[in-house]
Amino acid sequence: DYTHYLGLTTTPAQLIDELDLVLCAGGMNASLKAQIAQAVGKVIWSSNPSGQALERLNMALWLIINSPDYSVQK
């Protein structure tokens, strides 16, 4: 259930902070978090806000899961 995370897509930095805790145990590099939040914030669908939220969440998850901070255990 992604409902909680979909609600955070209007504030990408908060979304990335939450996903960092869940997926990377809070170990994500600050510059990577900022880059992902910036990329997620650029996703805009004016005609379909719920589609925008889902697309932002999908992008955030994809970028985090494919990052070294997720893949490498520290």
Side-chain angles (χ1 to χ4, degrees):
D1 183 20
Y2 295 118
T3 305
H4 171 69
Y5 301 107
L6 288 171
L8 295 174
T9 58
T10 56
T11 53
Q14 286 182 331
L15 173 65
I16 304 308
D17 285 340
E18 286 281 324
L19 293 175
D20 174 29
L21 289 174
V22 173
L23 299 173
C24 301
M28 191 183 302
N29 182 324
S31 65
L32 178 62
K33 286 171 71 168
Q35 289 173 344
I36 293 174
Q38 183 180 21
V40 168
K42 290 182 179 180
V43 174
I44 298 175
W45 286 12
S46 59
S47 63
N48 185 356
S50 63
Q52 174 178 305
L54 184 59
E55 189 63 28
R56 283 183 171 192
L57 179 59
N58 287 338
M59 176 184 256
L61 289 169
W62 190 87
L63 290 171
I64 291 170
I65 290 171
N66 288 292
S67 74
D69 290 359
Y70 175 81
S71 301
V72 177
Q73 186 176 19
K74 296 178 184 177

